[in-house]
């Protein structure tokens, strides 16, 4: 049982946010953190998940602020939201006073959705910094929960997975599938393989991992809230570029290339701050869609570089991360829906490989991303024959793919491909 001390507990009906203060501690002396805390800290955000699964009407969302030590069962604030049929995203907001926060030295927030008292969805524990004021956390991703120890959420391109341990074995939750992998010898990091299936493997090195399922390679998996390495950020007018790896490398037209040490601070699950004290440089990265101001190319991170009090905007990350890790199901071709009962799919894979279903036949191709856009090469298909309407649609699809020049991810998370003739193809992620 968790010890609830100085708890702020709220039971909310649908669409209602609010709170009331609880009791003032348990009367025991507690160490005061060596930080200056505001009189009242507001912590807000939204609970969401990417799976297309409806919540039952009776579920309850629970958001807790606790002490950050694993051995610390101190609950400092709690909000319970009765959903009554409401679906994600679910807004939450807690207000915690300084006296309550002072009962722990560090703080974290974690959220879950309960059904009949059992946890069904769970978020990663997110470290908080109340000393900096109100915490607007944005979207907090939930993953399907099964009772597995030491779980970690990772993003493999567009695919989100959960990795946890059951004894020495690794347990992966990928979409609706649970996979158990056994430890194997590795020269570095920790490597696991499925019993009798060496083509299903997971090789982790720190906050990054390589994942292969049944021979299909996934893009680099990165722990939620961490930054992939190497990572490039860049901006225009004036041009600047930063490469992050073991060192921070800064390039500008008017300076020599500089290689500098740096440190990373996680501000939230979606935002990180990179500092290089040697130049008084700060690079703020936020995981959200960004478009290059000149080419329009989409990137997975927004970037802000601050030097000498001046801030320059830009984008960061690898555009391939927006394409890979999922199967895209085509919903429209030049604004027309595919034929009833037909299926057109696209799957972008590492090493610039594209495959899918063109309508009747499977196809494969190479693709290339440049600073200007996206292009496909050497589109080839199998040779099956289908009814004429389906074959006509397939020819439309293949002709369009050969003329692709760019892509975007729209506000609904759909993939949009563009051709030189101002034609377009729109696809959603498969369930």
């Amino acid at each position: 049982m968790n010890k609830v001390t100085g708890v702020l507990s709220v039971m909310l009906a649908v669409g209602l946010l609010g709170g009331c203060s609880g009791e003032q501690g348990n009367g025991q002396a507690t160490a005061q953190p060596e930080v200056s805390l505001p009189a009242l800290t507001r912590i807000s955000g939204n609970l969401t998940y990417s799976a297309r699964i409806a919540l039952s009407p009776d579920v309850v969302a629970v958001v807790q602020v606790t002490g950050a030590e694993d051995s610390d069962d101190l609950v400092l604030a709690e909000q319970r939201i009765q959903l009554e049929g409401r679906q994600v995203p679910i807004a939450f907001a807690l207000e915690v006073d300084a006296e309550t926060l002072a009962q722990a030295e560090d703080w974290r927030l974690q959220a879950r959705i309960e059904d009949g008292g059992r946890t069904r969805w769970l978020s990663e524990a997110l470290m908080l910094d109340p000393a900096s004021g109100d915490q607007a956390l944005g979207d907090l991703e939930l993953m399907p929960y099964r009772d597995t120890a030491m779980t970690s959420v990772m993003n493999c391109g567009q695919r989100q997975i959960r990795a946890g341990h059951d004894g020495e074995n690794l347990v992966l939750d990928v979409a609706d599938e649970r996979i158990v992998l056994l430890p194997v010898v590795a020269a570095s990091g920790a490597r696991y393989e499925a019993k009798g299936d060496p083509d299903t493997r997971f090789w982790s090195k720190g906050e990054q991992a390589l994942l292969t399922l049944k021979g299909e390679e996934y893009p680099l998996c990165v722990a939620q809230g961490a930054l992939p390495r190497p990572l490039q950020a860049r901006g225009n007018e004036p041009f600047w570029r930063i490469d992050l790896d073991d060192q921070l490398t800064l390039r500008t037209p008017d300076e020599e290339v500089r290689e500098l040490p740096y440190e990373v601070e996680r501000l939230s699950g979606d935002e990180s701050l990179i500092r290089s004290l040697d130049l008084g440089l700060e690079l703020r990265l936020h995981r959200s869609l960004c478009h290059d101001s000149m080419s329009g190319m989409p990137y997975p991170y927004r970037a802000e570089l601050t030097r000498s009090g001046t801030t320059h905007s830009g984008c960061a990350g690898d555009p391939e991360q927006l394409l890979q890790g999922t199967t895209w199901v085509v919903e429209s071709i030049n604004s027309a829906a595919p034929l009833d009962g037909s299926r057109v799919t696209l799957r972008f894979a590492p090493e610039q490989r594209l495959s899918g279903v063109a309508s009747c036949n499977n196809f494969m191709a190479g693709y290339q991303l440049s600073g200007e856009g996206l292009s496909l090469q050497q589109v080839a298909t199998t040779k099956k024959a289908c009814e004429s309407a389906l074959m006509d649609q397939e020819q439309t699809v293949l002709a369009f793919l050969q003329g692709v020049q760019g892509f975007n991810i729209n506000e609904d998370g759909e993939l949009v491909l563009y051709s030189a003739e101002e034609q377009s193809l729109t696809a959603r992620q498969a369930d």
Side-chain angles (χ1 to χ4, degrees), residues 322-355:
L322 299 171
L323 294 170
Q324 296 178 0
T326 190
T327 296
W328 299 96
V329 179
V330 174
E331 293 195 317
S332 69
I333 309 164
N334 299 327
S335 301
L339 296 171
D340 289 345
S342 68
R343 184 174 174 85
V344 181
T345 65
L346 308 166
R347 188 169 185 91
F348 294 84
E351 299 181 359
Q352 298 183 323
R353 292 176 288 115
L354 173 64
S355 61

CSV table of all heavy atoms in Angstrom, one decimal, residues 322-355:
chain,number,residue,atom,x,y,z
A,322,LEU,N,10.0,9.5,-39.1
A,322,LEU,CA,8.5,9.8,-39.3
A,322,LEU,C,7.9,8.8,-40.3
A,322,LEU,O,6.7,8.6,-40.2
A,322,LEU,CB,8.4,11.2,-39.9
A,322,LEU,CG,8.9,12.4,-39.0
A,322,LEU,CD1,8.8,13.7,-39.8
A,322,LEU,CD2,8.0,12.5,-37.7
A,323,LEU,N,8.7,8.1,-41.1
A,323,LEU,CA,8.2,7.2,-42.1
A,323,LEU,C,8.2,5.8,-41.6
A,323,LEU,O,7.3,5.0,-41.9
A,323,LEU,CB,9.0,7.3,-43.4
A,323,LEU,CG,9.0,8.6,-44.1
A,323,LEU,CD1,10.0,8.6,-45.2
A,323,LEU,CD2,7.6,8.8,-44.8
A,324,GLN,N,9.2,5.4,-40.8
A,324,GLN,CA,9.5,4.0,-40.5
A,324,GLN,C,8.8,3.5,-39.2
A,324,GLN,O,8.3,4.3,-38.4
A,324,GLN,CB,11.0,3.8,-40.4
A,324,GLN,CG,11.8,4.1,-41.6
A,324,GLN,CD,13.3,3.9,-41.4
A,324,GLN,OE1,13.7,3.5,-40.3
A,324,GLN,NE2,14.0,4.1,-42.5
A,325,GLY,N,8.7,2.2,-39.1
A,325,GLY,CA,8.2,1.6,-37.9
A,325,GLY,C,6.8,1.2,-37.9
A,325,GLY,O,6.2,0.7,-36.9
A,326,THR,N,6.1,1.4,-39.0
A,326,THR,CA,4.7,1.1,-39.1
A,326,THR,C,4.3,0.8,-40.6
A,326,THR,O,5.1,1.1,-41.5
A,326,THR,CB,3.8,2.3,-38.7
A,326,THR,OG1,2.4,1.9,-38.5
A,326,THR,CG2,3.9,3.5,-39.6
A,327,THR,N,3.1,0.2,-40.8
A,327,THR,CA,2.6,0.0,-42.1
A,327,THR,C,1.5,1.0,-42.3
A,327,THR,O,0.6,1.3,-41.5
A,327,THR,CB,1.9,-1.4,-42.2
A,327,THR,OG1,2.9,-2.4,-42.1
A,327,THR,CG2,1.2,-1.6,-43.5
A,328,TRP,N,1.7,1.7,-43.4
A,328,TRP,CA,0.7,2.8,-43.8
A,328,TRP,C,-0.3,2.2,-44.8
A,328,TRP,O,0.0,1.6,-45.8
A,328,TRP,CB,1.5,3.9,-44.5
A,328,TRP,CG,2.5,4.6,-43.7
A,328,TRP,CD1,3.8,4.4,-43.6
A,328,TRP,CD2,2.3,5.7,-42.7
A,328,TRP,NE1,4.5,5.2,-42.7
A,328,TRP,CE2,3.6,6.0,-42.1
A,328,TRP,CE3,1.2,6.4,-42.3
A,328,TRP,CZ2,3.7,7.0,-41.2
A,328,TRP,CZ3,1.3,7.3,-41.3
A,328,TRP,CH2,2.6,7.6,-40.8
A,329,VAL,N,-1.6,2.4,-44.4
A,329,VAL,CA,-2.7,1.9,-45.2
A,329,VAL,C,-3.3,3.1,-46.0
A,329,VAL,O,-3.7,4.1,-45.4
A,329,VAL,CB,-3.8,1.3,-44.4
A,329,VAL,CG1,-5.0,0.8,-45.2
A,329,VAL,CG2,-3.2,0.1,-43.6
A,330,VAL,N,-3.3,3.0,-47.3
A,330,VAL,CA,-3.7,4.2,-48.2
A,330,VAL,C,-5.2,4.4,-48.1
A,330,VAL,O,-6.0,3.4,-48.2
A,330,VAL,CB,-3.3,3.9,-49.6
A,330,VAL,CG1,-3.9,5.0,-50.6
A,330,VAL,CG2,-1.8,3.9,-49.8
A,331,GLU,N,-5.6,5.6,-47.8
A,331,GLU,CA,-7.0,6.0,-47.7
A,331,GLU,C,-7.5,6.8,-48.9
A,331,GLU,O,-8.7,6.8,-49.1
A,331,GLU,CB,-7.3,6.8,-46.4
A,331,GLU,CG,-7.1,5.9,-45.2
A,331,GLU,CD,-7.6,6.6,-43.9
A,331,GLU,OE1,-7.4,7.8,-43.8
A,331,GLU,OE2,-8.3,5.9,-43.1
A,332,SER,N,-6.6,7.5,-49.6
A,332,SER,CA,-7.0,8.2,-50.8
A,332,SER,C,-5.9,8.3,-51.8
A,332,SER,O,-4.7,8.4,-51.4
A,332,SER,CB,-7.6,9.6,-50.4
A,332,SER,OG,-6.6,10.4,-50.0
A,333,ILE,N,-6.2,8.3,-53.1
A,333,ILE,CA,-5.3,8.5,-54.1
A,333,ILE,C,-5.8,9.6,-55.0
A,333,ILE,O,-6.9,9.4,-55.6
A,333,ILE,CB,-5.1,7.2,-55.0
A,333,ILE,CG1,-4.7,6.0,-54.1
A,333,ILE,CG2,-4.0,7.4,-56.0
A,333,ILE,CD1,-4.9,4.7,-54.7
A,334,ASN,N,-5.2,10.8,-55.0
A,334,ASN,CA,-5.7,11.9,-55.7
A,334,ASN,C,-7.1,12.2,-55.3
A,334,ASN,O,-8.0,12.4,-56.1
A,334,ASN,CB,-5.6,11.7,-57.2
A,334,ASN,CG,-4.2,11.5,-57.7
A,334,ASN,OD1,-3.3,12.1,-57.1
A,334,ASN,ND2,-4.0,10.7,-58.7
A,335,SER,N,-7.4,12.2,-54.0
A,335,SER,CA,-8.6,12.5,-53.3
A,335,SER,C,-9.7,11.4,-53.6
A,335,SER,O,-10.9,11.6,-53.1
A,335,SER,CB,-9.2,13.9,-53.8
A,335,SER,OG,-8.3,14.9,-53.5
A,336,ALA,N,-9.4,10.3,-54.2
A,336,ALA,CA,-10.4,9.2,-54.4
A,336,ALA,C,-10.0,8.1,-53.6
A,336,ALA,O,-8.9,7.7,-53.5
A,336,ALA,CB,-10.4,8.8,-55.9
A,337,ALA,N,-11.0,7.5,-52.9
A,337,ALA,CA,-10.8,6.4,-52.0
A,337,ALA,C,-10.5,5.1,-52.9
A,337,ALA,O,-11.0,5.0,-54.0
A,337,ALA,CB,-12.0,6.1,-51.2
A,338,PRO,N,-9.7,4.2,-52.3
A,338,PRO,CA,-9.4,2.9,-53.0
A,338,PRO,C,-10.7,2.1,-53.2
A,338,PRO,O,-11.7,2.4,-52.5
A,338,PRO,CB,-8.5,2.2,-52.1
A,338,PRO,CG,-7.8,3.2,-51.3
A,338,PRO,CD,-8.9,4.3,-51.1
A,339,LEU,N,-10.7,1.2,-54.2
A,339,LEU,CA,-11.9,0.4,-54.4
A,339,LEU,C,-12.3,-0.4,-53.2
A,339,LEU,O,-11.5,-0.8,-52.4
A,339,LEU,CB,-11.6,-0.6,-55.6
A,339,LEU,CG,-11.3,0.0,-57.0
A,339,LEU,CD1,-10.8,-1.1,-57.9
A,339,LEU,CD2,-12.5,0.7,-57.5
A,340,ASP,N,-13.6,-0.5,-53.0
A,340,ASP,CA,-14.1,-1.3,-51.9
A,340,ASP,C,-13.5,-2.7,-51.9
A,340,ASP,O,-13.4,-3.4,-52.9
A,340,ASP,CB,-15.6,-1.5,-52.0
A,340,ASP,CG,-16.4,-0.1,-51.7
A,340,ASP,OD1,-15.7,0.8,-51.1
A,340,ASP,OD2,-17.6,0.0,-52.0
A,341,GLY,N,-13.0,-3.1,-50.7
A,341,GLY,CA,-12.4,-4.4,-50.6
A,341,GLY,C,-11.0,-4.5,-51.0
A,341,GLY,O,-10.4,-5.6,-50.8
A,342,SER,N,-10.4,-3.4,-51.6
A,342,SER,CA,-9.0,-3.5,-52.0
A,342,SER,C,-8.2,-2.9,-50.9
A,342,SER,O,-8.6,-2.3,-49.9
A,342,SER,CB,-8.8,-2.7,-53.3
A,342,SER,OG,-9.0,-1.3,-53.0
A,343,ARG,N,-6.9,-3.2,-50.9
A,343,ARG,CA,-5.9,-2.7,-49.9
A,343,ARG,C,-4.6,-2.3,-50.6
A,343,ARG,O,-4.0,-3.0,-51.4
A,343,ARG,CB,-5.7,-3.8,-48.9
A,343,ARG,CG,-4.8,-3.5,-47.7
A,343,ARG,CD,-4.7,-4.6,-46.8
A,343,ARG,NE,-3.7,-4.4,-45.7
A,343,ARG,CZ,-4.0,-3.7,-44.5
A,343,ARG,NH1,-5.2,-3.2,-44.4
A,343,ARG,NH2,-3.1,-3.6,-43.6
A,344,VAL,N,-4.2,-1.1,-50.3
A,344,VAL,CA,-2.9,-0.5,-50.7
A,344,VAL,C,-2.1,-0.1,-49.5
A,344,VAL,O,-2.6,0.6,-48.7
A,344,VAL,CB,-3.2,0.7,-51.7
A,344,VAL,CG1,-1.8,1.3,-52.2
A,344,VAL,CG2,-4.1,0.3,-52.8
A,345,THR,N,-0.9,-0.6,-49.4
A,345,THR,CA,-0.1,-0.3,-48.2
A,345,THR,C,1.3,0.1,-48.6
A,345,THR,O,1.8,-0.2,-49.7
A,345,THR,CB,0.0,-1.6,-47.3
A,345,THR,OG1,0.7,-2.6,-48.0
A,345,THR,CG2,-1.4,-2.1,-46.9
A,346,LEU,N,2.0,0.7,-47.7
A,346,LEU,CA,3.4,1.2,-47.8
A,346,LEU,C,4.1,0.9,-46.5
A,346,LEU,O,3.5,1.1,-45.4
A,346,LEU,CB,3.4,2.7,-48.1
A,346,LEU,CG,2.6,3.3,-49.2
A,346,LEU,CD1,2.6,4.8,-49.1
A,346,LEU,CD2,3.2,2.9,-50.5
A,347,ARG,N,5.3,0.4,-46.6
A,347,ARG,CA,6.1,0.2,-45.4
A,347,ARG,C,7.5,0.6,-45.7
A,347,ARG,O,8.2,0.0,-46.5
A,347,ARG,CB,6.1,-1.3,-44.9
A,347,ARG,CG,6.8,-1.4,-43.5
A,347,ARG,CD,6.5,-2.8,-42.9
A,347,ARG,NE,7.1,-2.8,-41.6
A,347,ARG,CZ,6.5,-2.5,-40.5
A,347,ARG,NH1,5.2,-2.1,-40.5
A,347,ARG,NH2,7.1,-2.6,-39.3
A,348,PHE,N,8.0,1.7,-45.0
A,348,PHE,CA,9.3,2.1,-45.2
A,348,PHE,C,10.2,1.4,-44.2
A,348,PHE,O,9.9,1.4,-43.0
A,348,PHE,CB,9.4,3.7,-45.0
A,348,PHE,CG,8.7,4.5,-46.0
A,348,PHE,CD1,7.3,4.7,-45.9
A,348,PHE,CD2,9.3,5.0,-47.1
A,348,PHE,CE1,6.6,5.4,-46.8
A,348,PHE,CE2,8.6,5.7,-48.0
A,348,PHE,CZ,7.3,5.9,-47.9
A,349,ALA,N,11.3,0.9,-44.6
A,349,ALA,CA,12.2,0.1,-43.8
A,349,ALA,C,13.6,0.7,-43.8
A,349,ALA,O,14.0,1.5,-44.6
A,349,ALA,CB,12.3,-1.4,-44.3
A,350,PRO,N,14.5,0.3,-42.8
A,350,PRO,CA,15.9,0.8,-42.8
A,350,PRO,C,16.5,0.4,-44.1
A,350,PRO,O,16.1,-0.5,-44.9
A,350,PRO,CB,16.5,0.0,-41.6
A,350,PRO,CG,15.3,-0.2,-40.7
A,350,PRO,CD,14.1,-0.5,-41.6
A,351,GLU,N,17.7,1.0,-44.3
A,351,GLU,CA,18.5,0.9,-45.5
A,351,GLU,C,17.7,1.3,-46.8
A,351,GLU,O,17.9,0.8,-47.9
A,351,GLU,CB,19.0,-0.6,-45.7
A,351,GLU,CG,19.9,-1.0,-44.5
A,351,GLU,CD,20.4,-2.4,-44.7
A,351,GLU,OE1,20.0,-3.1,-45.7
A,351,GLU,OE2,21.2,-2.8,-43.8
A,352,GLN,N,16.8,2.3,-46.6
A,352,GLN,CA,16.1,2.9,-47.7
A,352,GLN,C,15.3,1.9,-48.6
A,352,GLN,O,15.4,2.0,-49.8
A,352,GLN,CB,17.0,3.8,-48.5
A,352,GLN,CG,17.6,4.9,-47.7
A,352,GLN,CD,18.5,5.8,-48.5
A,352,GLN,OE1,19.3,5.3,-49.4
A,352,GLN,NE2,18.5,7.1,-48.1
A,353,ARG,N,14.6,1.0,-47.9
A,353,ARG,CA,13.8,0.0,-48.6
A,353,ARG,C,12.3,0.3,-48.4
A,353,ARG,O,11.9,0.6,-47.3
A,353,ARG,CB,14.1,-1.4,-48.1
A,353,ARG,CG,15.5,-1.9,-48.5
A,353,ARG,CD,15.9,-3.2,-47.9
A,353,ARG,NE,16.1,-3.2,-46.5
A,353,ARG,CZ,15.3,-3.8,-45.6
A,353,ARG,NH1,14.2,-4.4,-45.9
A,353,ARG,NH2,15.6,-3.6,-44.3
A,354,LEU,N,11.5,0.2,-49.4
A,354,LEU,CA,10.1,0.4,-49.4
A,354,LEU,C,9.4,-0.9,-50.0
A,354,LEU,O,9.8,-1.4,-51.0
A,354,LEU,CB,9.7,1.6,-50.2
A,354,LEU,CG,8.2,1.9,-50.4
A,354,LEU,CD1,7.5,2.2,-49.1
A,354,LEU,CD2,7.9,3.0,-51.4
A,355,SER,N,8.3,-1.3,-49.3
A,355,SER,CA,7.6,-2.4,-49.8
A,355,SER,C,6.1,-2.2,-49.5
A,355,SER,O,5.7,-1.3,-48.7
A,355,SER,CB,8.0,-3.8,-49.2
A,355,SER,OG,7.9,-3.7,-47.8
